[in-house]
Amino acid sequence: MNSAHINASIAGGLMDARLAQAGWLRLSSAQRDSLEAVQRIQGLDLCTRRGRAALEEGDFVVIPVELVMCQDGEFLETTVVFALGQDVLISVEQGLRLTALDQAGEQLFAAMADGCALDPCAMLFCILEALNDAAHGTIRDIAARLDER
């Protein structure tokens, strides 16, 4: 891992901590201990293999989102599980940290710095917009590669 990746990881970690204070708890399925603790405390099942249907669990709406993304020049299929609560938004990524969620985090962090109050619904909307933009970019990349053939 080069110094640029290390610095980005540190910056991302600091941003994640600030966003968690604002109400977005961003997790990875690789963070087993943290994920198990959140599931136990909130009474949720945030498994990425749970299926496609959104459903209510306790005070949360759990929404699994399946994606095909182009990241670092490679196409990948992944799932992000969102749990939208009254005071918190929890997201669980499958292993790889998604650039689209990093970009959404940067937008939310900038909004916080400008004094905007963030609620979980507004955060989820911003995240879904970023995922939508990334999906459109992926479709353009696929189309360009097909045109080359």
Side-chain angles (χ1 to χ4, degrees), residues 1 16 31 59 70 75 78 80-81 88 93 96 129-130 146:
M1 182 179 284
D16 286 353
Q31 297 172 295
D59 295 333
C70 184
F75 294 100
T78 190
V80 180
V81 177
V88 66
E93 297 165 71
L96 184 66
E129 281 185 319
L146 290 173

Side-chain angles (χ1 to χ4, degrees), residues 47-128:
C47 176
T48 56
R49 295 178 306 273
R50 62 179 296 126
R52 295 181 175 171
L55 54 98
E56 289 186 47
E57 272 189 42
D59 295 333
F60 288 85
V61 177
V62 180
I63 309 162
V65 178
E66 294 181 352
L67 308 159
V68 174
M69 307 292 284
C70 184
Q71 186 162 305
D72 299 327
E74 294 188 32
F75 294 100
L76 61 105
E77 185 177 345
T78 190
T79 302
V80 180
V81 177
F82 294 100
L84 178 62
Q86 194 75 3
D87 300 316
V88 66
L89 171 66
I90 303 167
S91 64
V92 181
E93 297 165 71
Q94 261 184 1
L96 184 66
R97 187 175 173 94
L98 294 177
T99 304
L101 268 64
D102 288 338
Q103 292 167 345
E106 290 170 11
Q107 291 172 358
L108 292 168
F109 192 70
M112 285 173 41
D114 290 341
C116 294
L118 299 176
D119 65 73
C121 289
M123 288 188 276
L124 181 57
F125 184 78
C126 179
I127 293 165
L128 292 176

Side-chain angles (χ1 to χ4, degrees), residues 126-138:
C126 179
I127 293 165
L128 292 176
E129 281 185 319
L131 290 174
N132 186 54
D133 291 346
H136 281 283
T138 299

